Amino acid sequence: MKRLLTAALLLGCSQLYAQAPKGPAADTSARSLKIDATVVTTHEATIKGQRVPYKVTAGSMPVWDEEGKVIAGVFYTYFERTGVADQGARPLVFSFNGGPGTASVWMQIGYTGPRVLNIDDEGYPVQPYGLKDNQHSILDVADIVYVDPVNTGFSRPANKDVPGSKFFGVNQDVKYLAEWISTFISRNKRWASPKYLVGESYGTTRVSGLALELQNAQWIYLNGVVLVSPTELGIERGGPAESALRLPYYAATAWYHKALPSDLQQKDLTAMLPEVEQFTIREYLPALAEGGFISDARKREIAAKVARYSGISEKNVLQNNLDVPLNFFWKELLRDKGFTVGRLDSRYRGIDRKDAGDRVDFNAELTSWLHSFTPAINMYIRDELKYKTDLKYLMFGPVFPWDNNNNRTGENLRQAMAQNPFLHVLIQSGYYDGACDYFNAKYSMWQLDPSGRL
C-alpha cells in the first residue's frame, strides 16, 4: 500500500512539473498591497456574558502626498457593533501599537479586540494555535479601528521609489496618520461620533502627537487619549532622574520573583511600592545627583537601601556607583538560580548560554509573544476575516532610520488638553514592564502638567 501511495504521489508530482510551464504566469499582484480595497465579514462574540453582533472591514486606504499622489497604503481592521440605533452616539477608537515598527496585532488580539489569544497561565501559546472570544473586549461599548502604520502588518509604500523619510519619524508619522484618520472618518460617516485614540509603547508617542495634530491640521477634537505603557513622550529625564526612576520597577520585579527581604516580601505589591517610591524621590535621586561628592557613609547607606528594594546585592550596587543599569538587572536578579528576567514583562524567565556577563542573550517574553501572536494574527486575518494576500504580515517591519528629532509629543498632548476641555487622558502601566515602566509613567504625568491644573 505504501508503494502504491508513493508511486501515485510521484506520478502526481511529475505531471505537475511537466505541466507547469504551459500554465499562466504566477500572479505577482498577490505579493503587493491593494492600496484601496476592503473585505467585510460578520461575526458574534460573547463579551461580559452578552452576545455582541458585529461586522469587520479588513482592508487598506491610501496615503497621499502634498500633490495628491498616492504614496502608500495603510492596512486596517475596523470593528463595528451592528444593530445600533444611533451610530453617531457610539464612540470610535483608533488603536496603535508601538515599536515604532510594529503592527497593531498586540492590542487587537491581546487586549481590546473581540478575539483573543489562546494562551496558558504562564503566557505561552496553547497548541494547536487559535483564538477565543475576549470577555474583556471594548467592542460592546465602542467601535475600534486597528491601524498598521507603513511597513508594519500589511501596510506598504506605493512603490519602491517612495522614500521612507515620508513616514519614518516622530513628526512624519503623526502628520500622515492624522490625514489618514480624517479620510477614514469621512469615508465611514463617523464625524458625529465621540473619538478616542489608544496607543501602546511607542504608540503613546504617536497618539500624543496626533492629539494636537488632529486639532490643528484636521479640526478633529478628541474626547480621550489612552496611553498604555507610555514612552518618555519627549520629556527630558537624563542623568540622575533616568537612573533613579527605575528602582520601583526593580522592586516590583524582585517582589514577583521572591527576591526581597521577608518584611517587604510578605506585603502586597501595591502596599510595598509606595515605600520604594518615596525613597526614590526623596533620597535616591538626590544621592545620585551628588555624584562623586557624596560621603562614603551616605553612599553605603543609600546602597544598602537600593539593594534592599531591588534584590541586587549591596556589593553590586556599589560597584555600579549606586546606578544599576537595566541590562545588568535583567541578568543579575536570578543569576544564582540560572535564569534571566524579561524586559517587556519581567515575569518571564530566560536561559542564557552562560551565567556570566552583564546583559541577557535574548528577551524571553518577546520570543514567547512572537510565538503566540504570529500564527494567531495570520489565521485571524486570512481565515476568519477572509482577507486574501500573499504578502507577509510584518510583526516588526523595516522603519529605520527613525527620525526622533524635535519630539515634543508630551507637550503636544498638554496643549491639546489645555485647548480642548473635552479631552480626557488615561494612563495604564504594567508593574513588570521594564521598557516603559510604571514609575516613569507617573513622572511623565507630573511633568506633562507642571501647573497641576489639568
Side-chain angles (χ1 to χ4, degrees):
M1 187 64 184
K2 285 184 179 178
R3 290 195 188 98
L4 286 172
L5 180 59
T6 303
L9 288 171
L10 287 172
L11 178 61
C13 290
S14 65
Q15 289 177 338
L16 174 65
Y17 286 119
Q19 294 171 3
K22 298 178 182 178
D27 181 9
T28 56
S29 65
R31 296 298 298 268
S32 301
L33 178 71
K34 295 177 182 177
I35 297 290
D36 201 347
T38 58
V39 176
V40 179
T41 52
T42 57
H43 310 266
E44 274 193 351
T46 300
I47 301 172
K48 302 179 183 70
Q50 177 188 8
R51 295 301 292 172
V52 176
Y54 63 97
K55 70 175 182 178
V56 184
T57 303
S60 53
M61 265 183 12
V63 174
W64 292 276
D65 65 10
E66 296 82 358
E67 299 173 355
K69 181 182 177 182
V70 174
I71 56 173
V74 166
F75 182 80
Y76 66 94
T77 46
Y78 173 32
F79 292 76
E80 297 174 85
R81 182 168 181 168
T82 53
V84 175
D86 183 7
Q87 190 186 48
R90 189 166 166 79
L92 180 64
V93 178
F94 291 90
S95 179
F96 298 91
N97 275 109
T102 189
S104 61
V105 49
W106 317 101
M107 297 289 279
Q108 182 169 350
I109 59 171
Y111 191 22
T112 55
R115 300 283 279 160
V116 71
L117 292 177
N118 274 334
I119 54 174
D120 64 20
D121 291 340
E122 290 296 308
Y124 290 98
V126 174
Q127 297 186 49
Y129 304 105
L131 298 126
K132 59 186 178 183
D133 285 355
N134 181 7
Q135 291 283 345
H136 307 290
S137 173
I138 63 173
L139 185 59
D140 58 333
V141 295
D143 296 336
I144 320 164
V145 188
Y146 296 97
V147 186
D148 295 341
V150 174
N151 268 9
T152 73
F154 291 135
S155 298
R156 299 289 191 275
N159 58 67
K160 61 181 178 59
D161 297 323
V162 179
S165 58
K166 290 278 188 181
F167 318 106
F168 306 148
V170 174
N171 296 300
Q172 300 92 314
D173 180 72
V174 164
K175 183 178 179 181
Y176 87 82
L177 286 171
E179 184 79 28
W180 188 92
I181 288 171
S182 179
T183 303
F184 183 94
I185 290 170
S186 293
R187 282 194 177 189
N188 291 278
K189 300 179 175 61
R190 298 305 298 262
W191 279 98
S193 300
K195 300 167 191 68
Y196 295 80
L197 303 179
V198 54
E200 177 270 343
S201 189
Y202 185 85
T204 63
T205 301
R206 178 174 285 133
V207 300
S208 295
L210 279 169
L212 188 64
E213 180 72 10
L214 285 168
Q215 281 184 200
N216 288 354
Q218 305 297 334
W219 309 286
I220 294 172
Y221 290 78
L222 299 171
N223 293 73
V225 173
V226 183
L227 308 180
V228 181
S229 301
T231 60
E232 296 176 354
L233 306 178
I235 298 170
E236 293 295 331
R237 68 192 76 211
E242 182 179 15
S243 300
L245 292 172
R246 304 176 189 133
L247 185 60
Y249 156 71
Y250 289 169
T253 300
W255 178 90
Y256 179 81
H257 290 290
K258 297 180 171 52
L260 294 180
S262 59
D263 64 314
L264 295 175
Q265 196 67 60
Q266 67 187 7
K267 295 182 179 180
D268 288 338
L269 177 64
T270 52
M272 179 271 294
L273 285 175
E275 178 182 331
V276 186
E277 294 178 9
Q278 290 298 310
F279 167 75
T280 297
I281 295 300
R282 296 181 179 178
E283 297 185 60
Y284 189 29
L285 180 54
L288 288 170
E290 286 190 68
F293 287 86
I294 191 172
S295 69
D296 286 345
R298 182 59 174 160
K299 187 174 186 177
R300 290 191 173 277
E301 180 184 351
I302 294 295
K305 289 188 176 182
V306 172
R308 167 178 163 79
Y309 294 136
S310 68
I312 302 296
S313 73
E314 185 177 339
K315 178 182 178 181
N316 278 325
V317 175
L318 286 168
Q319 286 175 336
N320 281 284
N321 294 319
L322 305 182
D323 177 7
V324 180
L326 279 163
N327 279 301
F328 179 77
F329 174 79
W330 296 324
K331 182 76 174 183
E332 176 65 25
L333 182 67
L334 299 180
R335 193 192 300 263
D336 60 343
K337 296 180 172 63
F339 294 106
T340 62
V341 298
R343 171 177 174 261
L344 299 166
D345 187 337
S346 52
R347 293 174 296 181
Y348 286 77
R349 299 186 304 180
I351 302 174
D352 279 359
R353 179 181 178 85
K354 55 185 180 182
D355 292 335
D358 59 2
R359 62 176 52 240
V360 301
D361 291 352
F362 67 100
N363 295 327
E365 79 299 331
L366 185 56
T367 54
S368 172
W369 295 347
L370 287 168
H371 184 183
S372 303
F373 279 82
T374 307
I377 193 64
N378 276 280
M379 293 164 63
Y380 189 40
I381 294 176
R382 299 174 193 274
D383 300 336
E384 288 194 28
L385 304 186
K386 310 300 182 186
Y387 186 83
K388 302 303 180 185
T389 180
D390 287 335
L391 273 176
K392 182 187 294 184
Y393 186 90
L394 297 176
M395 302 292 284
F396 288 92
V399 300
F400 295 98
W402 189 269
D403 181 2
N404 282 304
N405 291 320
N406 196 27
N407 180 357
R408 292 172 49 81
T409 52
E411 172 60 17
N412 292 348
L413 179 59
R414 186 203 66 78
Q415 282 191 41
M417 293 174 70
Q419 294 174 22
N420 178 7
F422 299 98
L423 173 56
H424 297 274
V425 174
L426 170 66
I427 294 180
Q428 300 179 327
S429 290
Y431 287 118
Y432 309 114
D433 182 351
C436 301
D437 68 87
Y438 90 93
F439 200 58
N440 261 284
K442 286 191 174 186
Y443 183 85
S444 291
M445 290 176 70
W446 303 332
Q447 305 307 315
L448 194 67
D449 175 34
S451 73
R453 291 194 295 272
L454 292 179

